[in-house]
Amino acid sequence: MDDYAGRVLADRYRLPLPPSDEPELAETRAFDTYSGQEVSVRQVPLPEVVEAEVLDADGLPEGFVARDGRVRGMSSRTATRRPADPLVRRAVEAAQAAAQIPDHPRLDQVFDVFAEGGSLWIVSERLPARPLAALLAEEPLTPYRAAEVASDVLMALRVLHAHGWVHRNITTHTVLICDDGRVMLTGLAAGAAEEALCGYDPVPEQEFEDRDGTFRPGSDASRGRRGRPP
């Protein structure tokens, strides 16, 4: 537990202390005090709310009448969005929907999604792996290994597409290379939350399962949600 002496999220996830010369990392490990396991935690910053306040020439608030009739000015301040904010709720719900995709060996598992302290937090399994970006920084992949990585990523995408999801967050940082050589795709929940924060609805239309186990798009009544503004 000495390794996790930083802040505690959701009264449950203990973070390590950040380096003294660096801000808190956007993605880091954490200790789940409920399960006793290490997990990964990713931070998605929430946009701030800008609140305007009308002031007079002397910096007095709106409603104060100056005797000389001087013109009021404008001031603004930023406020942190709260979990009850409709935009935040939609982002949490989008990430939670992405986490409902059945487990697959090419996709990471998301355990928890919540908003706290001006950020949305996504808790997922901690994998013995490194981002593809870290490997490429050391040396290029061989053609054979590059084909293997691409094949595994395509397999993960097939699974997502079968459930109606489109992964718009594929980078060398969301593709992980495990110590045993497996390739895993991450970042779907974070990408879904970011899309929702931008006013889009990333959650696919309602699905149903055919007798052969294939997922098909839902009825026409469920269409038309994608791209709906907040």
Side-chain angles (χ1 to χ4, degrees), residues 43-228:
Q43 179 184 25
V44 179
L46 298 173
E48 293 181 325
V49 181
V50 178
E51 298 177 344
E53 184 178 14
V54 180
L55 304 176
D56 69 8
D58 294 321
L60 296 173
E62 182 180 16
F64 182 88
V65 180
R67 292 182 178 179
D68 57 5
R70 283 177 289 184
V71 180
R72 290 178 172 83
M74 290 290 292
S75 176
S76 64
R77 59 182 179 180
T78 58
T80 301
R81 288 187 182 270
R82 298 181 179 182
D85 186 298
L87 183 65
V88 176
R89 289 204 310 269
R90 280 194 289 272
V92 170
E93 290 169 358
Q96 289 174 335
Q100 297 304 311
I101 293 176
D103 296 345
H104 189 275
R106 293 293 175 265
L107 298 170
D108 69 328
Q109 288 183 270
V110 174
F111 301 138
D112 198 3
V113 181
F114 57 92
E116 181 179 301
S119 294
L120 185 147
W121 303 89
I122 299 173
V123 182
S124 59
E125 62 178 321
R126 181 160 176 79
L127 299 165
R130 289 198 296 166
L132 177 58
L135 296 182
L136 294 177
E138 297 175 354
E139 59 180 358
L141 298 179
T142 65
Y144 180 79
R145 183 55 176 150
E148 285 185 327
V149 171
S151 177
D152 285 348
V153 172
L154 286 174
M155 181 183 294
L157 290 177
R158 288 193 196 101
V159 174
L160 296 180
H161 293 171
H163 289 83
W165 284 88
V166 177
H167 196 308
R168 297 184 176 90
N169 192 24
I170 302 175
T171 71
T172 54
H173 295 280
T174 59
V175 175
L176 300 183
I177 311 298
C178 298
D179 294 347
D180 61 5
R182 290 178 301 140
V183 177
M184 299 188 71
L185 183 59
T186 69
L188 178 67
E194 290 168 349
E195 282 190 68
L197 290 173
C198 291
Y200 297 97
D201 186 355
V203 181
E205 299 164 356
Q206 185 177 357
E207 302 164 341
F208 66 89
E209 185 175 356
D210 284 348
R211 293 179 180 178
D212 62 358
T214 302
F215 281 85
R216 306 293 184 189
S219 64
D220 291 339
S222 66
R223 300 172 189 267
R225 297 194 309 152
R226 192 179 304 280
R228 182 181 61 192

